[in-house]
Amino acid sequence: MNDNLELNIPLIDEKHDEFLEILAKIKSSNKPEFLPLFKEMIEHTREHFAFEEELMDKYDFYAKGEHLEEHKNLLHEMEYFYEKAQKMPIFGHSYINDYAYDKFKRHIINIDSQFAMFLKDKDLI
């Protein structure tokens, strides 16, 4: 992963790596591939978040509410830019090229790392 963002939780790191692969494909895509790949990124993110949320439920994560709110906001933002990109592709390209990676990185550092520490401290994974 870029910037050493690994959490050392293989199941979660794998999902993050998949996201980065899709993001790289979108950034290098041609015009007809852009929107389908953007949609794929949204669906992957939705599945990834659902996976994390199942773990949070299973292990009764103390900061679940904050984490869920972050998931909701990130998905909403992706969907917003996807909708805008359907009419004006520049909005989608701007989000992908200028914001998506930084949002991803911030989420791992500020939010996912807290969950990873919880799982490790409790020897759950």
Side-chain angles (χ1 to χ4, degrees):
M1 250 191 253
N2 298 353
D3 294 324
N4 193 25
L5 296 174
E6 289 185 3
L7 298 171
N8 296 314
I9 307 281
L11 294 171
I12 295 174
D13 287 337
E14 182 180 308
K15 299 282 185 194
H16 292 163
D17 288 342
E18 291 168 358
F19 176 88
L20 289 172
E21 289 171 14
I22 296 167
L23 184 59
K25 279 196 257 180
I26 295 170
K27 284 184 173 190
S28 65
S29 69
N30 60 34
K31 202 171 189 175
E33 297 172 322
F34 180 78
L35 284 175
L37 286 169
F38 198 157
K39 187 160 183 83
E40 180 182 337
M41 183 181 76
I42 293 169
E43 291 306 314
H44 178 274
T45 301
R46 186 175 283 114
E47 291 168 12
H48 166 199
F49 287 172
F51 170 75
E52 284 184 4
E53 291 165 12
E54 285 176 25
L55 289 176
M56 285 182 238
D57 284 341
K58 180 177 180 178
Y59 297 119
D60 196 27
F61 180 49
Y62 65 90
K64 179 183 170 191
E66 175 188 1
H67 207 125
L68 293 177
E69 188 65 26
E70 175 78 3
H71 284 177
K72 181 178 138 187
N73 291 339
L74 288 172
L75 270 173
H76 176 71
E77 185 175 73
M78 282 182 192
E79 291 166 343
Y80 171 83
F81 280 99
Y82 175 77
E83 291 298 320
K84 292 286 185 188
Q86 290 182 43
K87 295 176 184 146
M88 294 187 67
I90 190 86
F91 283 105
H93 288 281
S94 174
Y95 174 77
I96 293 298
N97 293 320
D98 300 330
Y99 300 106
Y101 178 76
D102 288 337
K103 297 275 184 172
F104 170 80
K105 180 179 172 180
R106 183 185 53 80
H107 179 75
I108 291 174
I109 292 169
N110 295 333
I111 304 293
D112 282 351
S113 63
Q114 183 181 21
F115 184 45
M117 284 189 298
F118 168 81
L119 293 171
K120 289 176 192 173
D121 285 347
K122 303 268 185 203
D123 286 326
L124 298 170
I125 291 188

